[in-house]
Amino acid sequence: MESLKTNRSKRTKLRQGFIEGIESIKQAIAADIVISRIIYAKGRELSDWALNLIESLPIESVIEMDPQLYHDLCDREEPSEIIATFEYPNRDISDARISDDSIFLLFDRPSDKGNLGSIIRTANSFGVDGIFILGHGVDPFDPKVIRSSLGGVFHTPVYHITSMDSLLNWLTIFRGSHAGSMIGSDSSGDRVISQAGVTTPVVLVLGNEAKGMSKSIQESCDVVVQIPGQGNVNSLNVACAGSILLWELYKSKMKYNSNESPAGNQFTGEHYKLL
């Protein structure tokens, strides 16, 4: 169990993840993620919900653990009544479904678990259709990412892209068959978001926390936008910036779906200007 919690290579090899936290376990179940094991402390009185979950699994998938070992396995001072392991969902970028109002998020080499979990949680709230993790970044199924996303990682598909070629192949289809565009984000962007003329479907790019977008990603963007503001600090935390940008895209998506716009899916104009 400890290796699944702390060792990314082990998780990747076994395609198994570790969940601590009742809400995250409930969200995994709601998203039809396969729960492979339930672990609990010997002698602990469990809730009816936990007992029903245990009864739904094969007996060999339920582990009763020494209380001290269980406490040591958990991060929380007051451990959850159960912890769980799960099977990784099979996801490939070629499976990402594209529609006229699709919003995708591309995170270029994320390095902070809290940031990734927060932006996944925001993406789930704002109807993002898929999240692409490019390059060697934080594992989206790291227990700390799962916890900070409040289980959102199980509901919004996350696709790990190992090569730029895979992304470019998908973008060729995205742009060709669906007339999609990709917008980057940077504090020194060419235009503020309200002047970008963004249309759906769209891919929003967030850069690495320290280095920003890679040169190859920036060159692949149709436009790079910035969030206007004032102050002495020259940039926002990436999770905050991503939340602001996704909120603007989500407002426009909702207007598009409610037919408040003139014909087409343009984000600019009287009804679609991003404020």
Side-chain angles (χ1 to χ4, degrees):
M1 294 302 111
E2 182 69 24
S3 62
L4 285 182
K5 177 182 176 182
T6 61
N7 191 314
R8 178 176 185 168
S9 297
K10 189 77 169 182
R11 290 194 300 268
T12 301
K13 180 179 179 180
L14 297 177
R15 298 198 60 77
Q16 294 270 327
F18 178 97
I19 317 175
E20 180 184 357
I22 297 303
E23 182 59 30
S24 293
I25 294 174
K26 288 181 176 179
Q27 292 302 329
I29 294 169
D32 294 325
I33 299 296
V34 176
I35 302 298
S36 51
R37 298 181 195 86
I38 291 294
I39 305 99
Y40 66 97
K42 184 177 182 179
R44 176 165 183 173
E45 185 175 350
L46 301 177
S47 66
D48 289 341
W49 172 81
L51 290 172
N52 290 333
L53 178 58
I54 288 171
E55 289 176 3
S56 70
L57 297 175
I59 188 67
E60 62 270 18
S61 298
V62 179
I63 300 173
E64 191 178 41
M65 186 175 286
D66 174 83
Q68 185 58 52
L69 290 177
Y70 183 85
H71 189 278
D72 292 344
L73 186 60
C74 297
D75 285 335
R76 300 183 177 188
E77 187 62 32
E78 291 293 332
S80 303
E81 59 176 339
I82 61 172
I83 53 182
T85 63
F86 66 94
E87 296 181 9
Y88 278 12
N90 292 315
R91 290 170 178 163
D92 184 84
I93 187 173
S94 61
D95 300 325
R97 297 180 179 179
I98 306 169
S99 60
D100 289 344
D101 65 347
S102 287
I103 298 174
F104 293 95
L105 177 69
L106 171 63
F107 205 155
D108 185 13
R109 301 158 297 147
S111 60
D112 184 89
K113 297 171 185 177
N115 281 338
L116 180 56
S118 294
I119 203 64
I120 290 173
R121 181 177 174 182
T122 300
N124 182 254
S125 296
F126 293 156
V128 169
D129 297 275
I131 300 171
F132 304 142
I133 306 297
L134 180 64
H136 186 70
V138 172
D139 178 9
F141 290 123
D142 184 284
K144 292 182 180 179
V145 176
I146 293 172
R147 187 162 63 244
S148 59
S149 78
L150 279 188
V153 68
F154 299 121
H155 291 285
T156 301
V158 179
Y159 306 89
H160 183 219
I161 306 173
T162 56
S163 71
M164 190 66 186
D165 285 344
S166 297
L167 175 62
L168 292 176
N169 289 338
W170 184 86
L171 283 174
T172 298
I173 299 171
F174 181 69
R175 285 175 165 139
S177 302
H178 302 277
S181 60
M182 186 162 82
I183 63 170
S185 57
D186 189 86
S187 59
S188 59
D190 304 324
R191 298 178 234 174
V192 298
I193 184 63
S194 60
Q195 300 170 349
V198 181
T199 60
T200 56
V202 63
V203 178
L204 170 67
V205 182
L206 300 178
N208 172 267
E209 289 91 335
K211 300 178 180 179
M213 293 183 291
S214 67
K215 183 178 179 181
S216 57
I217 286 290
Q218 187 161 348
E219 290 175 347
S220 298
C221 291
D222 298 289
V223 65
V224 178
V225 301
Q226 60 170 286
I227 300 169
Q230 60 183 13
N232 297 321
V233 178
N234 67 355
S235 65
L236 294 168
N237 169 276
V238 67
C240 294
S243 297
I244 293 169
L245 293 167
L246 287 175
W247 167 239
E248 296 294 350
L249 297 181
Y250 177 69
K251 287 191 295 184
S252 297
K253 180 175 182 175
M254 293 300 290
K255 291 178 182 178
Y256 172 74
N257 287 333
S258 64
N259 296 319
E260 292 180 13
S261 157
N265 59 348
Q266 191 107 11
F267 279 2
T268 53
E270 181 180 355
H271 296 278
Y272 275 153
K273 186 174 181 180
L274 300 180
L275 303 176

